[in-house]
Short mmCIF file of all heavy atoms in Angstrom, two decimals:
data_model
loop_
_atom_site.label_atom_id
_atom_site.label_comp_id
_atom_site.label_asym_id
_atom_site.label_seq_id
_atom_site.Cartn_x
_atom_site.Cartn_y
_atom_site.Cartn_z
N MET A 1 0.85 -1.18 0.00
CA MET A 1 0.00 0.00 0.00
C MET A 1 0.89 1.24 0.00
O MET A 1 1.86 1.33 0.74
CB MET A 1 -0.89 -0.02 1.24
CG MET A 1 -1.82 1.14 1.30
SD MET A 1 -3.12 0.73 2.47
CE MET A 1 -3.98 2.23 2.48
N GLU A 2 0.56 2.18 -0.84
CA GLU A 2 1.36 3.39 -1.02
C GLU A 2 0.93 4.45 -0.02
O GLU A 2 -0.25 4.73 0.16
CB GLU A 2 1.15 3.89 -2.45
CG GLU A 2 2.02 5.02 -2.84
CD GLU A 2 1.84 5.39 -4.30
OE1 GLU A 2 0.68 5.54 -4.74
OE2 GLU A 2 2.84 5.50 -4.99
N THR A 3 1.92 5.08 0.65
CA THR A 3 1.60 6.14 1.60
C THR A 3 1.35 7.44 0.85
O THR A 3 1.66 7.57 -0.33
CB THR A 3 2.74 6.35 2.61
OG1 THR A 3 3.87 6.82 1.89
CG2 THR A 3 3.07 5.08 3.35
N GLU A 4 0.81 8.43 1.56
CA GLU A 4 0.52 9.73 0.96
C GLU A 4 1.80 10.40 0.46
O GLU A 4 1.83 10.98 -0.62
CB GLU A 4 -0.18 10.62 1.99
CG GLU A 4 -0.53 12.00 1.48
CD GLU A 4 -1.58 11.99 0.38
OE1 GLU A 4 -2.32 11.00 0.25
OE2 GLU A 4 -1.63 12.98 -0.36
N ALA A 5 2.88 10.34 1.24
CA ALA A 5 4.14 10.96 0.83
C ALA A 5 4.71 10.27 -0.41
O ALA A 5 5.25 10.93 -1.31
CB ALA A 5 5.15 10.91 1.97
N GLU A 6 4.61 8.96 -0.49
CA GLU A 6 5.09 8.24 -1.66
C GLU A 6 4.29 8.60 -2.90
O GLU A 6 4.83 8.76 -3.99
CB GLU A 6 5.05 6.73 -1.42
CG GLU A 6 6.07 6.25 -0.41
CD GLU A 6 5.83 4.82 0.01
OE1 GLU A 6 4.70 4.30 -0.17
OE2 GLU A 6 6.77 4.21 0.54
N ARG A 7 2.98 8.78 -2.74
CA ARG A 7 2.13 9.16 -3.85
C ARG A 7 2.50 10.56 -4.34
O ARG A 7 2.64 10.79 -5.55
CB ARG A 7 0.65 9.13 -3.45
CG ARG A 7 -0.29 9.44 -4.61
CD ARG A 7 -1.73 9.60 -4.16
NE ARG A 7 -1.90 10.72 -3.26
CZ ARG A 7 -1.94 12.01 -3.64
NH1 ARG A 7 -1.80 12.32 -4.91
NH2 ARG A 7 -2.12 12.96 -2.77
N ARG A 8 2.73 11.51 -3.41
CA ARG A 8 3.11 12.86 -3.81
C ARG A 8 4.47 12.85 -4.50
O ARG A 8 4.67 13.56 -5.48
CB ARG A 8 3.15 13.78 -2.59
CG ARG A 8 1.77 14.10 -2.03
CD ARG A 8 1.81 15.23 -1.04
NE ARG A 8 2.90 15.17 -0.09
CZ ARG A 8 2.79 14.76 1.17
NH1 ARG A 8 1.63 14.37 1.64
NH2 ARG A 8 3.83 14.75 1.97
N ALA A 9 5.43 12.06 -3.98
CA ALA A 9 6.75 11.98 -4.59
C ALA A 9 6.67 11.42 -6.01
O ALA A 9 7.34 11.89 -6.92
CB ALA A 9 7.68 11.13 -3.74
N ARG A 10 5.83 10.40 -6.21
CA ARG A 10 5.67 9.82 -7.53
C ARG A 10 5.07 10.83 -8.49
O ARG A 10 5.53 10.99 -9.62
CB ARG A 10 4.79 8.57 -7.45
CG ARG A 10 4.63 7.86 -8.78
CD ARG A 10 3.83 6.57 -8.66
NE ARG A 10 2.63 6.67 -7.83
CZ ARG A 10 1.47 7.19 -8.24
NH1 ARG A 10 1.36 7.68 -9.45
NH2 ARG A 10 0.44 7.23 -7.43
N MET A 11 4.08 11.60 -8.05
CA MET A 11 3.44 12.59 -8.90
C MET A 11 4.41 13.73 -9.24
O MET A 11 4.39 14.26 -10.34
CB MET A 11 2.18 13.14 -8.23
CG MET A 11 1.07 12.11 -8.08
SD MET A 11 0.57 11.37 -9.65
CE MET A 11 -0.15 12.77 -10.44
N GLN A 12 5.27 14.10 -8.29
CA GLN A 12 6.21 15.19 -8.53
C GLN A 12 7.33 14.75 -9.46
O GLN A 12 7.89 15.56 -10.18
CB GLN A 12 6.79 15.69 -7.22
CG GLN A 12 5.76 16.43 -6.39
CD GLN A 12 6.22 16.69 -4.99
OE1 GLN A 12 7.27 16.21 -4.57
NE2 GLN A 12 5.44 17.43 -4.24
N SER A 13 7.68 13.48 -9.44
CA SER A 13 8.77 13.02 -10.29
C SER A 13 8.31 12.76 -11.73
O SER A 13 9.14 12.54 -12.60
CB SER A 13 9.39 11.75 -9.71
OG SER A 13 8.45 10.69 -9.72
N VAL A 14 7.02 12.82 -11.97
CA VAL A 14 6.49 12.60 -13.31
C VAL A 14 6.71 13.83 -14.19
O VAL A 14 6.77 13.73 -15.40
CB VAL A 14 4.98 12.25 -13.23
CG1 VAL A 14 4.35 12.18 -14.61
CG2 VAL A 14 4.80 10.93 -12.52
N ALA A 15 6.91 15.01 -13.57
CA ALA A 15 7.06 16.25 -14.34
C ALA A 15 8.26 16.15 -15.27
O ALA A 15 9.28 15.59 -14.93
CB ALA A 15 7.23 17.43 -13.39
N LYS A 16 8.11 16.71 -16.47
CA LYS A 16 9.18 16.70 -17.45
C LYS A 16 10.31 17.59 -16.97
O LYS A 16 10.08 18.58 -16.28
CB LYS A 16 8.68 17.21 -18.79
CG LYS A 16 7.60 16.34 -19.39
CD LYS A 16 7.09 16.97 -20.66
CE LYS A 16 5.83 16.27 -21.11
NZ LYS A 16 5.11 17.02 -22.10
N GLY A 17 11.53 17.26 -17.33
CA GLY A 17 12.68 18.06 -16.93
C GLY A 17 12.58 19.47 -17.48
O GLY A 17 12.27 19.68 -18.64
N GLY A 18 12.83 20.45 -16.64
CA GLY A 18 12.81 21.83 -17.06
C GLY A 18 11.46 22.51 -16.90
O GLY A 18 11.39 23.72 -16.94
N ASP A 19 10.40 21.74 -16.76
CA ASP A 19 9.10 22.37 -16.56
C ASP A 19 9.02 22.91 -15.14
O ASP A 19 9.49 22.29 -14.20
CB ASP A 19 7.97 21.36 -16.76
CG ASP A 19 7.80 20.96 -18.22
OD1 ASP A 19 8.40 21.65 -19.07
OD2 ASP A 19 7.10 19.98 -18.49
N PRO A 20 8.42 24.10 -14.97
CA PRO A 20 8.30 24.63 -13.62
C PRO A 20 7.35 23.76 -12.80
O PRO A 20 6.38 23.20 -13.32
CB PRO A 20 7.73 26.03 -13.82
CG PRO A 20 7.08 25.97 -15.16
CD PRO A 20 7.84 24.97 -15.97
N ILE A 21 7.66 23.66 -11.54
CA ILE A 21 6.81 22.89 -10.63
C ILE A 21 5.72 23.84 -10.14
O ILE A 21 6.02 24.93 -9.66
CB ILE A 21 7.62 22.34 -9.45
CG1 ILE A 21 8.68 21.39 -9.97
CG2 ILE A 21 6.72 21.66 -8.44
CD1 ILE A 21 9.66 20.94 -8.94
N PRO A 22 4.46 23.46 -10.27
CA PRO A 22 3.40 24.35 -9.83
C PRO A 22 3.48 24.55 -8.32
O PRO A 22 3.94 23.67 -7.58
CB PRO A 22 2.11 23.61 -10.22
CG PRO A 22 2.51 22.19 -10.36
CD PRO A 22 3.95 22.19 -10.77
N PRO A 23 3.07 25.72 -7.83
CA PRO A 23 3.12 25.96 -6.39
C PRO A 23 2.30 24.91 -5.65
O PRO A 23 1.22 24.51 -6.11
CB PRO A 23 2.50 27.34 -6.22
CG PRO A 23 2.47 27.94 -7.57
CD PRO A 23 2.53 26.84 -8.56
N MET A 24 2.83 24.46 -4.53
CA MET A 24 2.13 23.45 -3.75
C MET A 24 1.36 24.13 -2.63
O MET A 24 1.83 25.09 -2.03
CB MET A 24 3.13 22.45 -3.16
CG MET A 24 3.85 21.65 -4.21
SD MET A 24 4.92 20.40 -3.51
CE MET A 24 6.13 21.40 -2.70
N ARG A 25 0.20 23.65 -2.37
CA ARG A 25 -0.55 24.19 -1.25
C ARG A 25 -0.11 23.46 0.01
O ARG A 25 0.40 22.34 -0.05
CB ARG A 25 -2.05 24.01 -1.48
CG ARG A 25 -2.48 22.56 -1.53
CD ARG A 25 -4.00 22.44 -1.55
NE ARG A 25 -4.38 21.05 -1.54
CZ ARG A 25 -4.38 20.27 -0.48
NH1 ARG A 25 -4.01 20.75 0.68
NH2 ARG A 25 -4.75 19.01 -0.55
N ALA A 26 -0.30 24.12 1.11
CA ALA A 26 0.09 23.51 2.37
C ALA A 26 -0.80 22.31 2.65
O ALA A 26 -2.01 22.36 2.46
CB ALA A 26 -0.04 24.53 3.49
N ASP A 27 -0.18 21.23 3.03
CA ASP A 27 -0.94 20.05 3.38
C ASP A 27 -1.54 20.21 4.77
O ASP A 27 -1.07 21.01 5.57
CB ASP A 27 -0.05 18.80 3.37
CG ASP A 27 0.38 18.43 1.96
OD1 ASP A 27 -0.36 18.75 1.02
OD2 ASP A 27 1.45 17.82 1.83
N SER A 28 -2.56 19.43 5.01
CA SER A 28 -3.10 19.43 6.36
C SER A 28 -2.06 18.82 7.30
O SER A 28 -1.34 17.90 6.93
CB SER A 28 -4.41 18.63 6.42
OG SER A 28 -4.16 17.31 5.97
N HIS A 29 -1.93 19.38 8.46
CA HIS A 29 -0.92 18.92 9.40
C HIS A 29 -1.27 17.55 9.95
O HIS A 29 -2.42 17.23 10.16
CB HIS A 29 -0.77 19.91 10.55
CG HIS A 29 -0.27 21.23 10.10
ND1 HIS A 29 1.00 21.43 9.64
CD2 HIS A 29 -0.87 22.44 10.04
CE1 HIS A 29 1.17 22.69 9.32
NE2 HIS A 29 0.05 23.33 9.54
N SER A 30 -0.23 16.77 10.17
CA SER A 30 -0.45 15.46 10.76
C SER A 30 0.34 15.39 12.05
O SER A 30 1.21 16.21 12.32
CB SER A 30 0.00 14.35 9.80
OG SER A 30 1.40 14.38 9.67
N THR A 31 0.06 14.40 12.80
CA THR A 31 0.76 14.21 14.06
C THR A 31 1.89 13.21 13.90
O THR A 31 2.46 12.76 14.89
CB THR A 31 -0.21 13.72 15.15
OG1 THR A 31 -0.83 12.52 14.69
CG2 THR A 31 -1.27 14.77 15.43
N ALA A 32 2.23 12.88 12.65
CA ALA A 32 3.30 11.92 12.41
C ALA A 32 4.63 12.51 12.89
O ALA A 32 4.92 13.68 12.69
CB ALA A 32 3.39 11.60 10.93
N ASP A 33 5.41 11.71 13.56
CA ASP A 33 6.70 12.17 14.05
C ASP A 33 7.73 11.13 13.69
O ASP A 33 7.60 9.99 14.12
CB ASP A 33 6.65 12.37 15.57
CG ASP A 33 7.90 13.02 16.09
OD1 ASP A 33 8.50 13.80 15.33
OD2 ASP A 33 8.27 12.75 17.24
N PRO A 34 8.73 11.38 12.91
CA PRO A 34 9.05 12.66 12.28
C PRO A 34 8.17 12.92 11.07
O PRO A 34 7.54 12.01 10.55
CB PRO A 34 10.51 12.48 11.85
CG PRO A 34 10.64 11.02 11.59
CD PRO A 34 9.72 10.35 12.59
N ALA A 35 8.15 14.17 10.63
CA ALA A 35 7.33 14.54 9.48
C ALA A 35 7.83 13.81 8.23
O ALA A 35 9.02 13.61 8.06
CB ALA A 35 7.39 16.04 9.25
N VAL A 36 6.92 13.40 7.40
CA VAL A 36 7.26 12.69 6.18
C VAL A 36 7.04 13.65 5.02
O VAL A 36 5.93 14.10 4.79
CB VAL A 36 6.39 11.42 6.00
CG1 VAL A 36 6.73 10.72 4.72
CG2 VAL A 36 6.55 10.51 7.19
N GLU A 37 8.13 14.00 4.34
CA GLU A 37 8.04 14.93 3.21
C GLU A 37 8.75 14.34 2.01
O GLU A 37 9.68 13.55 2.14
CB GLU A 37 8.70 16.26 3.56
CG GLU A 37 8.01 17.00 4.68
CD GLU A 37 8.74 18.28 5.03
OE1 GLU A 37 9.97 18.31 4.87
OE2 GLU A 37 8.07 19.22 5.46
N THR A 38 8.29 14.75 0.84
CA THR A 38 8.98 14.35 -0.38
C THR A 38 10.22 15.22 -0.53
O THR A 38 10.32 16.27 0.10
CB THR A 38 8.07 14.53 -1.60
OG1 THR A 38 7.83 15.92 -1.79
CG2 THR A 38 6.75 13.79 -1.43
N PRO A 39 11.18 14.84 -1.37
CA PRO A 39 12.36 15.67 -1.57
C PRO A 39 12.03 17.08 -2.06
O PRO A 39 12.67 18.04 -1.68
CB PRO A 39 13.17 14.92 -2.61
CG PRO A 39 12.76 13.49 -2.45
CD PRO A 39 11.32 13.54 -2.05
N ILE A 40 11.00 17.23 -2.88
CA ILE A 40 10.62 18.55 -3.38
C ILE A 40 10.04 19.40 -2.26
O ILE A 40 10.32 20.57 -2.14
CB ILE A 40 9.60 18.41 -4.52
CG1 ILE A 40 10.17 17.55 -5.62
CG2 ILE A 40 9.11 19.76 -4.98
CD1 ILE A 40 10.58 18.19 -6.88
N GLU A 41 9.23 18.79 -1.42
CA GLU A 41 8.63 19.55 -0.31
C GLU A 41 9.68 19.94 0.73
O GLU A 41 9.56 20.98 1.36
CB GLU A 41 7.54 18.71 0.36
CG GLU A 41 6.34 18.47 -0.51
CD GLU A 41 5.41 17.43 0.06
OE1 GLU A 41 5.83 16.62 0.90
OE2 GLU A 41 4.24 17.43 -0.36
N ALA A 42 10.70 19.14 0.90
CA ALA A 42 11.71 19.40 1.92
C ALA A 42 12.74 20.42 1.46
O ALA A 42 13.48 20.95 2.27
CB ALA A 42 12.41 18.10 2.30
N ARG A 43 12.81 20.70 0.18
CA ARG A 43 13.82 21.62 -0.36
C ARG A 43 13.57 23.02 0.20
O ARG A 43 12.46 23.53 0.20
CB ARG A 43 13.73 21.65 -1.88
CG ARG A 43 14.85 22.44 -2.51
CD ARG A 43 14.80 22.37 -4.02
NE ARG A 43 14.94 20.99 -4.46
CZ ARG A 43 14.30 20.50 -5.50
NH1 ARG A 43 13.47 21.25 -6.19
NH2 ARG A 43 14.48 19.26 -5.86
N GLN A 44 14.63 23.67 0.67
CA GLN A 44 14.52 24.99 1.25
C GLN A 44 14.43 26.08 0.20
O GLN A 44 13.82 27.11 0.41
CB GLN A 44 15.72 25.27 2.16
CG GLN A 44 15.76 24.38 3.37
CD GLN A 44 14.61 24.65 4.31
OE1 GLN A 44 14.30 25.79 4.57
NE2 GLN A 44 13.97 23.60 4.78
N GLY A 45 15.07 25.89 -0.91
CA GLY A 45 15.05 26.91 -1.96
C GLY A 45 15.52 26.30 -3.26
O GLY A 45 15.91 25.15 -3.32
N PHE A 46 15.48 27.08 -4.29
CA PHE A 46 15.85 26.58 -5.60
C PHE A 46 17.19 27.16 -6.01
O PHE A 46 17.49 28.31 -5.76
CB PHE A 46 14.78 26.94 -6.63
CG PHE A 46 13.49 26.24 -6.37
CD1 PHE A 46 12.46 26.88 -5.73
CD2 PHE A 46 13.32 24.93 -6.75
CE1 PHE A 46 11.27 26.23 -5.48
CE2 PHE A 46 12.14 24.27 -6.51
CZ PHE A 46 11.12 24.93 -5.87
N LEU A 47 18.00 26.34 -6.65
CA LEU A 47 19.26 26.79 -7.19
C LEU A 47 19.04 27.16 -8.64
O LEU A 47 18.01 26.87 -9.23
CB LEU A 47 20.30 25.67 -7.10
CG LEU A 47 20.64 25.21 -5.70
CD1 LEU A 47 21.60 24.05 -5.76
CD2 LEU A 47 21.24 26.34 -4.90
N GLY A 48 20.02 27.79 -9.24
CA GLY A 48 19.88 28.13 -10.64
C GLY A 48 20.56 29.44 -10.95
O GLY A 48 21.43 29.91 -10.22
N ARG A 49 20.17 30.06 -12.03
CA ARG A 49 20.81 31.28 -12.50
C ARG A 49 20.72 32.42 -11.48
O ARG A 49 21.73 33.11 -11.27
CB ARG A 49 20.20 31.70 -13.83
CG ARG A 49 20.92 32.87 -14.45
CD ARG A 49 20.44 33.13 -15.86
NE ARG A 49 20.63 32.01 -16.74
CZ ARG A 49 21.70 31.81 -17.48
NH1 ARG A 49 22.68 32.67 -17.43
NH2 ARG A 49 21.78 30.78 -18.28
N PRO A 50 19.60 32.70 -10.82
CA PRO A 50 19.58 33.82 -9.86
C PRO A 50 20.60 33.65 -8.72
O PRO A 50 21.23 34.61 -8.32
CB PRO A 50 18.16 33.81 -9.32
CG PRO A 50 17.36 33.16 -10.37
CD PRO A 50 18.26 32.15 -11.00
N VAL A 51 20.78 32.44 -8.24
CA VAL A 51 21.74 32.20 -7.17
C VAL A 51 23.15 32.43 -7.69
O VAL A 51 23.98 33.05 -7.03
CB VAL A 51 21.58 30.77 -6.61
CG1 VAL A 51 22.66 30.46 -5.61
CG2 VAL A 51 20.20 30.59 -6.00
N LEU A 52 23.43 31.97 -8.89
CA LEU A 52 24.75 32.16 -9.48
C LEU A 52 25.05 33.64 -9.69
O LEU A 52 26.16 34.10 -9.44
CB LEU A 52 24.84 31.40 -10.81
CG LEU A 52 26.18 31.50 -11.55
CD1 LEU A 52 27.29 30.88 -10.71
CD2 LEU A 52 26.08 30.81 -12.90
N VAL A 53 24.07 34.41 -10.13
CA VAL A 53 24.26 35.83 -10.36
C VAL A 53 24.60 36.54 -9.04
O VAL A 53 25.49 37.39 -8.98
CB VAL A 53 23.01 36.46 -11.02
CG1 VAL A 53 23.08 37.98 -11.02
CG2 VAL A 53 22.85 35.93 -12.43
N VAL A 54 23.91 36.19 -7.98
CA VAL A 54 24.18 36.81 -6.68
C VAL A 54 25.58 36.45 -6.20
O VAL A 54 26.32 37.31 -5.70
CB VAL A 54 23.11 36.38 -5.65
CG1 VAL A 54 23.51 36.78 -4.24
CG2 VAL A 54 21.76 36.98 -6.00
N LEU A 55 25.98 35.19 -6.34
CA LEU A 55 27.30 34.78 -5.89
C LEU A 55 28.41 35.45 -6.70
O LEU A 55 29.39 35.95 -6.13
CB LEU A 55 27.43 33.26 -5.97
CG LEU A 55 26.57 32.47 -4.99
CD1 LEU A 55 26.68 30.98 -5.27
CD2 LEU A 55 26.96 32.77 -3.56
N VAL A 56 28.29 35.48 -8.01
CA VAL A 56 29.30 36.11 -8.85
C VAL A 56 29.32 37.62 -8.62
O VAL A 56 30.39 38.23 -8.53
CB VAL A 56 29.07 35.76 -10.34
CG1 VAL A 56 29.95 36.61 -11.24
CG2 VAL A 56 29.31 34.29 -10.57
N GLY A 57 28.15 38.22 -8.49
CA GLY A 57 28.08 39.67 -8.22
C GLY A 57 28.74 40.03 -6.91
O GLY A 57 29.47 41.03 -6.81
N GLY A 58 28.54 39.23 -5.88
CA GLY A 58 29.19 39.47 -4.59
C GLY A 58 30.69 39.33 -4.68
O GLY A 58 31.44 40.11 -4.07
N LEU A 59 31.15 38.36 -5.43
CA LEU A 59 32.59 38.17 -5.61
C LEU A 59 33.21 39.35 -6.35
O LEU A 59 34.28 39.84 -5.99
CB LEU A 59 32.85 36.87 -6.37
CG LEU A 59 34.31 36.47 -6.56
CD1 LEU A 59 34.99 36.27 -5.21
CD2 LEU A 59 34.39 35.19 -7.38
N VAL A 60 32.53 39.84 -7.39
CA VAL A 60 33.03 41.00 -8.14
C VAL A 60 33.06 42.23 -7.25
O VAL A 60 34.05 42.99 -7.24
CB VAL A 60 32.18 41.23 -9.41
CG1 VAL A 60 32.48 42.58 -10.04
CG2 VAL A 60 32.39 40.11 -10.40
N LEU A 61 32.02 42.47 -6.47
CA LEU A 61 32.00 43.63 -5.58
C LEU A 61 33.08 43.54 -4.51
O LEU A 61 33.69 44.55 -4.15
CB LEU A 61 30.62 43.78 -4.93
CG LEU A 61 29.50 44.24 -5.87
CD1 LEU A 61 28.17 44.23 -5.14
CD2 LEU A 61 29.81 45.62 -6.40
N ALA A 62 33.35 42.35 -4.00
CA ALA A 62 34.42 42.17 -3.02
C ALA A 62 35.77 42.48 -3.65
O ALA A 62 36.63 43.13 -3.01
CB ALA A 62 34.40 40.75 -2.46
N ALA A 63 35.99 42.07 -4.90
CA ALA A 63 37.25 42.36 -5.59
C ALA A 63 37.39 43.85 -5.84
O ALA A 63 38.49 44.41 -5.68
CB ALA A 63 37.31 41.58 -6.90
N VAL A 64 36.33 44.54 -6.21
CA VAL A 64 36.37 45.99 -6.43
C VAL A 64 36.68 46.70 -5.12
O VAL A 64 37.49 47.64 -5.09
CB VAL A 64 35.04 46.48 -7.05
CG1 VAL A 64 34.94 48.00 -7.01
CG2 VAL A 64 34.89 45.96 -8.47
N ALA A 65 36.06 46.28 -4.03
CA ALA A 65 36.32 46.90 -2.73
C ALA A 65 37.77 46.67 -2.32
O ALA A 65 38.42 47.58 -1.79
CB ALA A 65 35.36 46.34 -1.68
N TRP A 66 38.27 45.47 -2.54
CA TRP A 66 39.67 45.16 -2.20
C TRP A 66 40.61 46.06 -2.99
O TRP A 66 41.56 46.62 -2.45
CB TRP A 66 39.95 43.70 -2.50
CG TRP A 66 41.29 43.21 -2.03
CD1 TRP A 66 42.51 43.75 -2.32
CD2 TRP A 66 41.55 42.09 -1.21
NE1 TRP A 66 43.50 43.02 -1.72
CE2 TRP A 66 42.94 41.99 -1.04
CE3 TRP A 66 40.74 41.13 -0.62
CZ2 TRP A 66 43.53 41.00 -0.30
CZ3 TRP A 66 41.33 40.14 0.12
CH2 TRP A 66 42.70 40.07 0.30
N LEU A 67 40.35 46.21 -4.28
CA LEU A 67 41.17 47.05 -5.15
C LEU A 67 41.11 48.51 -4.70
O LEU A 67 42.13 49.20 -4.66
CB LEU A 67 40.72 46.90 -6.60
CG LEU A 67 41.52 47.67 -7.63
CD1 LEU A 67 42.96 47.14 -7.68
CD2 LEU A 67 40.87 47.56 -8.98
N ALA A 68 39.91 48.99 -4.35
CA ALA A 68 39.76 50.37 -3.91
C ALA A 68 40.54 50.63 -2.63
O ALA A 68 41.20 51.66 -2.49
CB ALA A 68 38.27 50.70 -3.72
N VAL A 69 40.47 49.72 -1.69
CA VAL A 69 41.23 49.88 -0.44
C VAL A 69 42.72 49.82 -0.71
O VAL A 69 43.50 50.58 -0.13
CB VAL A 69 40.80 48.80 0.59
CG1 VAL A 69 41.74 48.77 1.77
CG2 VAL A 69 39.38 49.05 1.04
N ALA A 70 43.15 48.97 -1.60
CA ALA A 70 44.58 48.84 -1.92
C ALA A 70 45.10 50.11 -2.58
O ALA A 70 46.22 50.56 -2.29
CB ALA A 70 44.81 47.63 -2.82
N LEU A 71 44.32 50.70 -3.48
CA LEU A 71 44.78 51.90 -4.18
C LEU A 71 44.64 53.17 -3.34
O LEU A 71 45.52 54.03 -3.37
CB LEU A 71 44.01 52.05 -5.49
CG LEU A 71 44.27 50.99 -6.56
CD1 LEU A 71 43.38 51.24 -7.77
CD2 LEU A 71 45.74 50.98 -6.96
N LEU A 72 43.56 53.30 -2.63
CA LEU A 72 43.31 54.52 -1.87
C LEU A 72 43.89 54.47 -0.46
O LEU A 72 44.07 55.50 0.18
CB LEU A 72 41.80 54.78 -1.79
CG LEU A 72 41.10 54.99 -3.14
CD1 LEU A 72 39.61 55.11 -2.95
CD2 LEU A 72 41.67 56.20 -3.84
N GLY A 73 44.16 53.30 0.02
CA GLY A 73 44.66 53.16 1.39
C GLY A 73 46.12 53.49 1.54
O GLY A 73 46.60 53.84 2.62
N TYR A 74 46.87 53.43 0.46
CA TYR A 74 48.31 53.68 0.54
C TYR A 74 48.70 54.90 -0.23
O TYR A 74 48.45 55.23 -1.24
CB TYR A 74 49.11 52.46 0.05
CG TYR A 74 48.96 51.28 0.97
CD1 TYR A 74 48.16 50.19 0.62
CD2 TYR A 74 49.60 51.25 2.19
CE1 TYR A 74 48.03 49.12 1.45
CE2 TYR A 74 49.47 50.17 3.04
CZ TYR A 74 48.68 49.11 2.66
OH TYR A 74 48.55 48.04 3.49
#
């Protein structure tokens, strides 16, 4: 017999690669301990181009600040 979490995981894995995952509504709370979640539900955030842009942008700004301190500090 398939559990509710297994059924949700199977339905989420059917999505074609690259297709956006539709927003999930909050499930009704259960008293199960520990909580049973699918990998998609347990994910804290999404990786991808926006995360890469923030990381590269921060690195570039840190290099510019380092250069500014090196040139103006001496």
Side-chain angles (χ1 to χ4, degrees):
M1 182 162 175
E2 187 175 49
T3 65
E4 180 66 20
E6 290 169 340
R7 184 188 63 77
R8 289 193 316 258
R10 183 176 44 80
M11 293 303 293
Q12 290 168 353
S13 65
V14 173
K16 297 176 192 165
D19 289 347
I21 298 172
M24 295 185 294
R25 64 172 183 77
D27 290 333
S28 58
H29 296 292
S30 69
T31 57
D33 188 31
V36 179
E37 296 177 329
T38 67
I40 303 253
E41 293 169 339
R43 187 176 299 143
Q44 294 294 315
F46 294 99
L47 298 176
R49 186 172 301 269
V51 174
L52 180 63
V53 169
V54 169
L55 291 175
V56 170
L59 184 61
V60 168
L61 289 175
V64 168
W66 187 306
L67 182 64
V69 169
L71 293 177
L72 299 175
Y74 292 105

